[in-house]
Amino acid sequence: MRGMSKVVLGVVLAGSVVAGAGVSAGAVGAEADLAHHGHVSLWDGRVGVWLVSENHGPSDLPQATVRLAFSEPMAGGHELPEACLWSSDRVVSCRTGELRAAGSVGELALDLRTAGLPDELTVEITTAWRDGAADRNPGNDRHRVLVLATGDPYVF
């Protein structure tokens, strides 16, 4: 059953990205200001990501998808939270869940391993889909973070 839920999640996320190119019937005229904040750490070939997604409104958002793209390939075989799936060996896509206006959603935490032992990597965090809602302030949901292999948290 767990494998089936990953397949269903994959279909939902893949459909979300494709559907995001247009406007869904439920979101016509909707506007949501998504923001992603958190930190990323790299040490001994491990990558830790802590992420919070928020909607500053004015409309509630039933669902969104955040994309984390790494400059280095990740080692396979790592479990992701149920809301996430591997898009490739360098990309993880995660559902945010419902984002009420002027509210936040629970934390997303990832514990990954790189395929090698890089001295640094770059992580790009972006909203891949927002259920057709407009976002007039996209700067706060797009980040590019250079992370050195020091174990320090690099905040975005």
Side-chain angles (χ1 to χ4, degrees):
M1 182 67 169
R2 181 146 173 87
M4 179 57 121
S5 67
K6 289 287 186 183
V7 170
V8 171
L9 173 62
V11 170
V12 169
L13 284 175
S16 297
V17 172
V18 171
V23 176
S24 69
V28 173
E31 183 177 336
D33 180 15
L34 292 184
H36 306 296
H37 299 289
H39 61 81
V40 183
S41 298
L42 174 64
W43 70 100
D44 297 327
R46 293 185 68 180
V47 179
V49 179
W50 178 74
L51 175 82
V52 172
S53 297
E54 298 176 286
N55 176 9
H56 299 291
S59 302
D60 291 346
L61 196 58
Q63 194 74 251
T65 303
V66 62
R67 179 180 180 266
L68 298 106
F70 301 92
S71 62
E72 296 288 328
M74 298 292 124
H78 294 286
E79 279 291 313
L80 295 173
E82 280 194 32
C84 301
L85 60 80
W86 289 103
S87 298
S88 74
D89 65 347
R90 294 175 190 241
V91 178
V92 174
S93 298
C94 299
R95 289 180 287 124
T96 63
E98 181 180 9
L99 295 170
R100 294 199 172 281
S104 65
V105 70
E107 302 170 2
L108 170 66
L110 299 174
D111 183 13
L112 308 171
R113 290 202 174 274
T114 58
L117 291 173
D119 292 329
E120 65 182 32
L121 62 78
T122 302
V123 183
E124 292 186 20
I125 301 104
T126 58
T127 298
W129 178 74
R130 66 178 61 80
D131 195 26
D135 188 342
R136 294 183 188 184
N137 182 24
N140 59 358
D141 69 324
R142 296 179 187 160
H143 305 282
R144 184 180 177 124
V145 184
L146 174 63
V147 185
L148 304 179
T150 61
D152 296 320
Y154 289 83
V155 177
F156 59 90

